Amino acid sequence: MAAAATGEGVGVAALAASVQDFVAGQQDGGAAEVAAGVKDGSWTVLQLVEALGSCLENTDPRTRGRGIQLLSQVLLQCYSLLQEKEVLHLVVFYENRLQDHHLVIPSVLQGLRALSMCEVLSPGLAVSVLKAIFQEVHVQSLLQLDRHTVYSIITNFMGTREEELKGLGANFTFGFIQVMDGEKDPRNLLVAFQIVHDLITKNYALGPFVEELFEVTSCYFPIDFTPPPNDPHGIQREDLILSLRAVLASTPQFAEFLLPLLIEKMDSDLQSAKLDSLQTLTACCAIYGQKELQEFLPSLWSSLRREVFQTASEKVEAECLATLHALSACLSRSVLSSDSEDLLDSFLSSILQDCRHHLCEPDMKLVWPSAKLLQAAAGASLRAYHRVTCSVLPLLLEQYTKHPQSSQRRTILEMLLGFLELQQKWGHVEEDESSLLSLRAPVCSVVFSALTDPSVQLQLVGTRALTVLGSLQGFLSPSDLELVVDHLIRLALHEEDSQSSEAAMEAAGSLAPIYPKVFSGRMVPRLEEELQSEREEESSHDHRSLQQRCLQALAAVSIHTSIVRETVPVLLQYLRRVQKGSKAGNAQDVISVCQSLHRVALQCQQDAEGCWYYHQTVVPCLLAMAVQAAMQESTHPLLGKVLLEEEVLAAMVPVISAATTHLSPELAAQSVSRVVPLFLDGEVSFLPQNSFPCSFKPFEDGECLEAQRRLVVLLMAFVCSLPRSVVIPQEQRLLQELLVLSCSCNCPFIATTAAKCFAGLVNKHPAGQQLDEILQLAVNKMEPDLAEGPRRMQALTLLLWVTKALVLRYHPLSSRLTDRLLGLLGDVELGPTAADGFSLLMAESPDVLHKGCHADVRIMFRQRFFTDNVPKLVQGFHGAGPDVKANYLKGLSHVLNHLPKPVLVTELPTLLSLLLEALSCSDRVVQLSTLSCLQPLLLEAPQIMSLHVDTLVTKFLSLTSSPTMAVRIAALRCAHALASLPTTVLLPYKARVIRALAKPLDDKKRLVRKEAVAARGEWFLLGSPGR
């Protein structure tokens, strides 16, 4: 007992010493120590108050202030430990201190803030504290931080003692108005606006103080605040605007005061004030009704009309239209009583009266502003739409007939289109409500006449209108639909202008899913008939163009599964005819069919049923045709050879890939169990028309089998597009066969294809012993061939693709293979190709090893490759002989060119000298890659680039005379970008650059001349006022 008393005495003595030090101003950090003592039980808050006794009673206000400051700082850290009785006594103490000297008040407020956070605060104390603050403290005479403390106390009590505060009635609102009145600091205003918003939305009593509360907040409208530079608080003007808008638009009770203010500010010369007023009015419309708006509608409409008719600002016009839409929506929502006036009808009548007559003047300035105003009002509700369109649509149809000029008709039809698009919001056209149905015949007549007009621009608007009419369910009759399809076929196939043709195909693609039976029954047969037609001028350009359009149109309408089932057989039948026909040597025809099939595949991907139908119909058919062609190659060299051409096989790859990527794992497994045995074992039973003259063995030796080996590209397209979860049968055997083929085949196309297929499979192969073994086998196969022999290039190709496959998935072996590739940069024979290989490693591959075909691609693999290998490239460059230095520069340039620009900017200072040296390299690929890399850096890192401006100007101007057009264009683009550097840096070079850029103005290539004009114009303007 004695020991405990002794310990307690020591603790109290230590407390007294800490208090004395703090009050004397010797140790500001003492508050934390005292608070720590309270937390760990060394002393209590009561003992602290007793230790402060003499300080709190001291006659010197500074001493009292320091004492209360210590107590408040401790309470802020320990308020959760207080008992209810302690809180009660402390509240009474602090309330009394509010009458103390003004130097003491800030510390008192901090103490009250701590107590406002106590959960054990007795009922009635919150009201007592706030009454004391309202009565005793002149808040606006305090410093910003102390005013913020008052707002925090109020916020805390509103969050935890809402019912008690509501018991104060309107007195609480009045007290807060006094607190806030005259506030200027944005940090405090954000809190104050939130308090006002809560007062209103949580239904505190405003009593007779509605206008006063409005005045105390609206005096800040519109917000005019520019944050100081390097503002640590991060408060933006937009924060204040949104916070104040939330207050002003929170209650209809403010309407009679707010609306006149908004009308006044809408007439302001300041654009920011106009925009703020319009946005605030739009927000208010969400909670206002007819009663609030009635008195002010004429003035509001007058201001909105004037702004739209006269403004030069698109922003102001857009906000005016949004506000008009909101006003119309607000009036549409109001429920009418039997004796009240329909304000919506009278409001829309005013708009029609002021705007309708301008629609009769399609060449005049006010026609579009009037149309936009009417559309904004009409788009607010179905009732508003019917009221406006009943008046406007007949007028527009009449005007279309009255004005024969295509330009005028286009304007009128575009306005009509705007009203038709509004109808889409409400979907089905109701017979009894719609003014549109009664005008079906004249509307269709106008749209159809636009489609037959010689003006391409009018045709385009007509096509858009046709799409909208078709999307309105129940609007077009069956006979109209047939006419629509006929027009689309005519435009798609026979219209000379490609814009109209493409627009018609796009419209057909939009309408086909809505009316699949009409398009299947009417359009597809017509397109099939055109494709099958044999004409004397078969080889003529016009007939080929027509067939191209037929193929594109078939693909465009293949959106719905039922249509796909009709179009795919037509496309495949045409492909067979092209292959077998007497003039079956035209690769371009086959490529066109493949492009259409590819588009259909992409459109089927999201529909599981359509995707599987497409896959099991198209993939076996393409494989069968290709296998047939490969087998005929040895016996009938001219027949079917077109399917074995590289560009044709390359066009078939995306078709098979797109047909495979979105298969479910179960269906993909079913398909792979047929395709892989086809290539490994010659199992052709699943192919249509599978009576082939000989066996299919693409992986066996023999010169006569080279045609079959070319089809490995189709195997690549299939297996490299499968989901990763699909197990490939006989995968190890397949990998070994691909490995042998990639290293032993003399045909570059086949060797590269086999290497890509091998890499695609390795990338997705699960980690483990099997993968390690196959990779070791690949390394063992590559190394001897890379060292010497006739197949060094094949080995390098395999090395590049396997390295890419492993780099993408962060495989440990990738660094070893990359080092081998870096070593080859010093090889005179393979060095240039190895350098170009760095582009392959970094770039997105179109057919394999990308995320679309489920490859294992880790995020930021480029950054990792850069970090690991660029230092080695730089080191290799410095140590290389003069005959291979260019290889290192080329490799570096490729890596940097594909690196995300923000990463490159950070590394620029260390690499810029090498990039500049690369511009002096004679290799055109290096020059082009480096220029492509430098152009964005001139815009994103002007300060660093400015240090080398002399060298940059010299190099760019020199390369504008390059024999390679692409280099000349890139150099001129860089010269253009150079003009974005600081003017003071560039002015000494202005005359020289302008003189040098005169020469490419006479370049024989139009694209070069175009870039020269843009660059020279920019340099002419350098240093001119306002730039």
Side-chain angles (χ1 to χ4, degrees):
M1 288 286 288
T6 305
E8 192 176 318
V10 171
V12 171
L15 172 62
S18 297
V19 167
Q20 208 57 42
D21 288 346
F22 186 91
V23 172
Q26 294 172 5
Q27 195 181 352
D28 273 4
E33 295 174 17
V34 175
V38 173
K39 286 178 183 176
D40 64 23
S42 300
W43 45 74
T44 63
V45 173
L46 178 60
Q47 287 174 322
L48 172 60
V49 174
E50 288 172 351
L52 284 167
S54 59
C55 306
L56 301 178
E57 294 168 0
N58 197 295
T59 54
D60 181 9
R62 286 180 181 78
T63 305
R64 293 200 303 279
R66 289 290 286 177
I68 293 174
Q69 183 185 350
L70 175 59
L71 179 59
S72 297
Q73 287 185 11
V74 171
L75 290 177
L76 281 168
Q77 295 184 57
C78 306
Y79 62 86
S80 58
L81 304 176
L82 295 173
Q83 302 298 315
E84 186 175 347
K85 269 193 172 179
E86 291 175 321
V87 173
L88 175 61
H89 292 307
L90 286 167
V91 166
V92 173
F93 165 74
Y94 273 111
E95 282 180 3
N96 290 330
R97 293 294 101 189
L98 285 173
Q99 301 171 11
D100 205 332
H101 194 278
H102 68 86
L103 291 174
V104 177
I105 300 301
S107 299
V108 175
L109 292 172
Q110 288 292 347
L112 287 171
R113 181 164 76 91
L115 295 172
S116 72
M117 294 186 279
C118 289
E119 292 180 10
V120 293
L121 196 72
S122 303
L125 286 184
V127 170
S128 173
V129 168
L130 289 180
K131 277 185 175 178
I133 290 174
F134 294 159
Q135 190 172 335
E136 303 295 345
V137 183
H138 183 248
V139 176
Q140 288 307 315
S141 65
L142 301 174
L143 295 174
Q144 179 272 326
L145 182 61
D146 302 325
R147 301 199 303 276
H148 193 279
T149 304
V150 175
Y151 296 128
S152 299
I153 294 169
I154 296 171
T155 302
N156 291 340
F157 283 145
M158 287 179 75
T160 58
R161 299 287 189 273
E162 184 177 326
E163 293 307 317
E164 288 182 39
L165 300 193
K166 285 182 176 176
L168 274 172
N171 289 334
F172 176 56
T173 304
F174 180 65
F176 176 72
I177 291 170
Q178 288 180 306
V179 166
M180 183 183 172
D181 194 10
E183 182 59 67
K184 291 185 176 62
D185 192 281
R187 291 165 288 181
N188 291 348
L189 283 173
L190 280 178
V191 186
F193 289 155
Q194 185 58 50
I195 293 172
V196 178
H197 185 261
D198 289 346
L199 276 174
I200 295 165
T201 56
K202 293 182 178 177
N203 298 316
Y204 283 79
L206 305 185
F209 304 115
V210 174
E211 185 172 0
E212 285 78 3
L213 189 62
F214 172 77
E215 292 295 340
V216 85
T217 50
S218 65
C219 61
Y220 302 102
F221 184 87
I223 295 288
D224 181 20
F225 167 68
T226 305
N230 305 318
D231 178 22
H233 307 289
I235 294 175
Q236 300 297 316
R237 180 170 173 269
E238 193 65 20
D239 300 330
L240 290 165
I241 287 173
L242 294 175
S243 190
L244 176 57
R245 185 176 302 152
V247 171
L248 297 177
S250 60
T251 174
Q253 290 177 275
F254 283 168
E256 60 179 303
F257 316 114
L258 178 59
L259 290 173
L261 174 65
L262 294 178
I263 292 168
E264 176 194 335
K265 298 300 181 186
M266 281 162 65
D267 299 341
S268 163
D269 293 333
L270 285 174
Q271 180 172 310
S272 59
K274 288 181 193 289
L275 292 172
D276 202 353
S277 303
L278 291 163
Q279 289 164 355
T280 303
L281 179 55
T282 303
C284 290
C285 287
I287 61 161
Y288 285 4
Q290 290 211 54
K291 183 179 71 167
E292 287 78 25
L293 292 173
Q294 184 167 9
E295 181 188 343
F296 304 99
L297 279 175
S299 300
L300 288 169
W301 163 238
S302 175
S303 296
L304 291 171
R305 181 190 62 215
R306 184 183 63 253
E307 287 301 329
V308 174
F309 280 178
Q310 296 178 4
T311 187
S313 164
E314 289 183 11
K315 278 186 182 178
V316 173
E317 182 188 90
E319 288 301 338
C320 284
L321 296 175
T323 302
L324 182 60
H325 182 278
L327 283 168
S328 182
C330 176
L331 296 174
S332 302
R333 281 195 306 270
S334 302
V335 179
L336 297 176
S337 56
S338 56
D339 58 344
S340 64
E341 180 192 355
D342 184 357
L343 275 185
L344 176 66
D345 189 67
S346 57
F347 183 59
L348 294 175
S349 297
S350 301
I351 298 173
L352 284 164
Q353 183 181 340
D354 289 342
C355 295
R356 190 175 180 272
H357 61 280
H358 291 302
L359 303 184
C360 303
E361 303 161 338
D363 292 329
M364 303 304 284
K365 176 186 168 186
L366 293 181
V367 65
W368 270 116
S370 299
K372 288 175 182 176
L373 285 165
L374 287 165
Q375 286 166 8
S381 69
L382 197 53
R383 193 153 67 98
Y385 179 76
H386 289 151
R387 175 70 182 86
V388 173
T389 51
C390 278
S391 173
V392 170
L393 291 186
L395 176 69
L396 288 174
L397 294 168
E398 179 192 330
Q399 292 303 311
Y400 186 90
T401 312
K402 275 188 181 178
H403 292 84
Q405 287 184 17
S406 295
S407 60
Q408 295 172 325
R409 286 189 159 191
R410 177 189 167 195
T411 302
I412 294 165
L413 188 55
E414 281 184 328
M415 290 190 285
L416 181 64
L417 176 60
F419 286 103
L420 294 176
E421 285 172 338
L422 292 176
Q423 176 70 55
Q424 288 178 303
K425 282 187 180 184
W426 297 286
H428 193 74
V429 185
E430 297 293 339
E431 188 79 50
D432 57 340
E433 292 180 356
S434 177
S435 56
L436 200 54
L437 267 183
S438 62
L439 297 169
R440 173 160 56 196
V443 167
C444 287
S445 172
V446 161
V447 173
F448 293 154
S449 80
L451 296 175
T452 54
D453 194 275
S455 164
V456 172
Q457 295 305 315
L458 185 52
Q459 285 178 14
L460 293 174
V461 181
T463 307
R464 282 165 51 208
L466 201 62
T467 308
V468 173
L469 291 179
S471 69
L472 300 175
Q473 279 189 324
F475 184 80
L476 293 174
S477 66
S479 59
D480 286 335
L481 273 173
E482 291 183 357
L483 203 51
V484 165
V485 173
D486 291 344
H487 276 296
L488 290 176
I489 293 171
R490 179 182 57 78
L491 288 170
L493 301 187
H494 304 296
E495 181 56 48
E496 283 184 25
D497 189 89
S498 61
Q499 273 184 292
S500 290
S501 174
E502 288 166 12
M505 290 183 202
E506 190 179 335
S510 300
L511 296 177
I514 305 173
Y515 309 103
K517 288 183 180 176
V518 179
F519 279 83
S520 294
R522 195 169 183 88
M523 191 171 198
V524 176
R526 286 275 299 279
L527 295 171
E528 182 179 11
E529 187 184 320
E530 287 286 355
L531 275 179
Q532 290 176 346
S533 64
E534 295 283 351
R535 304 184 186 183
E536 291 181 9
E537 70 277 14
E538 174 104 30
S539 60
S540 73
H541 174 76
D542 289 345
H543 185 60
R544 177 159 293 167
S545 173
L546 177 63
Q547 291 193 321
Q548 291 265 15
R549 285 189 175 188
C550 283
L551 294 171
Q552 291 167 0
L554 281 168
V557 297
S558 302
I559 305 288
H560 194 275
T561 304
S562 64
I563 304 177
V564 171
R565 290 177 182 273
E566 302 290 331
T567 56
V568 165
V570 173
L571 289 167
L572 293 175
Q573 185 59 39
Y574 179 70
L575 185 59
R576 289 191 194 97
R577 194 161 68 85
V578 170
Q579 180 200 10
K580 292 177 182 175
S582 59
K583 297 186 179 179
N586 195 330
Q588 191 54 49
D589 286 347
V590 181
I591 291 170
S592 297
V593 183
C594 288
Q595 287 169 342
S596 290
L597 284 169
H598 180 228
R599 180 173 175 184
V600 177
L602 294 175
Q603 291 164 181
C604 288
Q605 284 180 340
Q606 303 309 318
D607 174 47
E609 181 193 346
C611 186
W612 178 235
Y613 165 78
Y614 182 92
H615 181 87
Q616 63 180 355
T617 307
V618 173
V619 173
C621 181
L622 290 181
L623 288 172
M625 291 168 67
V627 169
Q628 183 83 36
M631 291 180 176
Q632 287 176 346
E633 172 71 357
S634 54
T635 52
H636 304 87
L638 293 176
L639 278 180
K641 190 172 181 181
V642 65
L643 284 184
L644 302 178
E645 293 181 21
E646 287 181 20
E647 60 266 34
V648 172
L649 289 169
M652 293 167 77
V653 166
V655 178
I656 295 175
S657 181
T660 308
T661 51
H662 283 64
L663 287 180
S664 67
E666 298 77 26
L667 294 175
Q670 187 179 326
S671 190
V672 76
S673 66
R674 297 169 179 169
V675 175
V676 171
L678 166 68
F679 282 85
L680 288 178
D681 305 314
E683 181 55 63
V684 296
S685 58
F686 80 100
L687 297 178
Q689 301 169 351
N690 54 18
S691 55
F692 300 120
C694 58
S695 57
F696 181 62
K697 297 176 180 176
F699 289 114
E700 288 196 4
D701 292 335
E703 284 187 25
C704 62
L705 296 177
E706 180 167 321
Q708 294 187 17
R709 285 198 283 272
R710 295 174 85 82
L711 303 193
V712 172
V713 72
L714 304 183
L715 172 68
M716 175 199 79
F718 176 77
V719 294
C720 292
S721 302
L722 292 167
R724 262 185 270 174
S725 57
V726 175
V727 177
I728 296 172
Q730 307 180 69
E731 185 171 14
Q732 295 303 105
R733 179 186 162 197
L734 177 60
L735 284 166
Q736 289 171 10
E737 296 283 14
L738 289 166
L739 186 57
V740 171
L741 184 61
S742 67
C743 292
S744 61
C745 186
N746 292 321
C747 171
F749 175 75
I750 298 171
T752 302
T753 297
K756 287 164 74 172
C757 190
F758 180 83
L761 292 172
V762 160
N763 173 264
K764 296 182 192 177
H765 199 293
Q769 187 181 352
Q770 281 190 329
L771 177 62
D772 294 341
E773 286 173 0
I774 198 70
L775 286 175
Q776 191 56 51
L777 194 64
V779 171
N780 295 343
K781 192 86 176 162
M782 286 186 287
E783 281 299 341
D785 288 344
L786 282 172
E788 56 182 357
R791 297 206 171 92
R792 296 187 76 199
M793 197 57 77
Q794 289 93 318
L796 175 58
T797 302
L798 179 62
L799 173 64
L800 284 168
W801 282 103
V802 173
T803 304
K804 182 177 178 71
L806 300 183
V807 163
L808 291 178
R809 63 180 283 178
Y810 290 177
H811 192 278
L813 184 62
S814 63
S815 56
R816 179 179 153 196
L817 296 183
T818 308
D819 288 343
R820 185 72 182 93
L821 194 58
L822 286 164
L824 289 172
L825 292 175
D827 187 293
V828 176
E829 181 190 347
L830 295 182
T833 309
D836 283 330
F838 281 89
S839 176
L840 186 150
L841 294 180
M842 298 292 282
E844 186 83 6
S845 175
D847 44 10
V848 294
L849 296 177
H850 60 88
K851 285 187 178 178
C853 63
H854 311 289
D856 187 354
V857 181
R858 304 297 174 89
I859 60 169
M860 293 171 54
F861 78 88
R862 291 184 179 89
Q863 288 90 317
R864 179 169 175 168
F865 187 86
F866 169 86
T867 306
D868 291 346
N869 297 295
V870 164
K872 298 175 185 175
L873 276 168
V874 174
Q875 185 182 351
F877 168 79
H878 290 304
D883 52 339
V884 293
K885 270 186 181 289
N887 297 337
Y888 289 91
L889 284 176
K890 186 190 284 190
L892 177 67
S893 181
H894 284 315
V895 173
L896 299 182
N897 203 23
H898 291 96
L899 198 65
K901 292 302 174 273
V903 180
L904 184 51
V905 168
T906 59
E907 302 291 338
L908 192 57
T910 56
L911 296 172
L912 189 54
S913 58
L914 275 177
L915 283 172
L916 295 176
E917 189 161 346
L919 290 177
S920 304
C921 181
S922 59
D923 189 306
R924 306 296 176 218
V925 177
V926 177
Q927 291 173 355
L928 191 57
S929 180
T930 308
L931 288 168
S932 303
C933 184
L934 286 172
Q935 186 195 345
L937 294 176
L938 288 163
L939 304 172
E940 293 174 28
Q943 298 306 320
I944 300 169
M945 302 301 271
S946 297
L947 302 174
H948 300 270
V949 67
D950 190 68
T951 311
L952 289 168
V953 167
T954 305
K955 303 276 189 190
F956 292 159
L957 295 182
S958 166
L959 290 172
T960 58
S961 304
S962 166
T964 308
M965 183 183 82
V967 174
R968 296 200 300 278
I969 289 173
L972 287 166
R973 284 177 179 163
C974 284
H976 190 168
L978 200 60
S980 63
L981 298 187
T983 304
T984 49
V985 175
L986 297 177
L987 280 175
Y989 303 94
K990 181 176 178 179
R992 174 186 165 192
V993 172
I994 290 172
R995 274 198 311 274
L997 292 180
K999 183 183 175 186
L1001 291 176
D1002 294 326
D1003 197 280
K1004 60 184 178 182
K1005 296 292 186 181
R1006 182 184 63 82
L1007 292 175
V1008 178
R1009 297 195 299 273
K1010 179 183 169 188
E1011 294 295 342
V1013 168
R1016 198 162 186 257
E1018 198 67 26
W1019 276 86
F1020 262 119
L1021 293 172
L1022 196 69
S1024 57
R1027 189 180 173 281

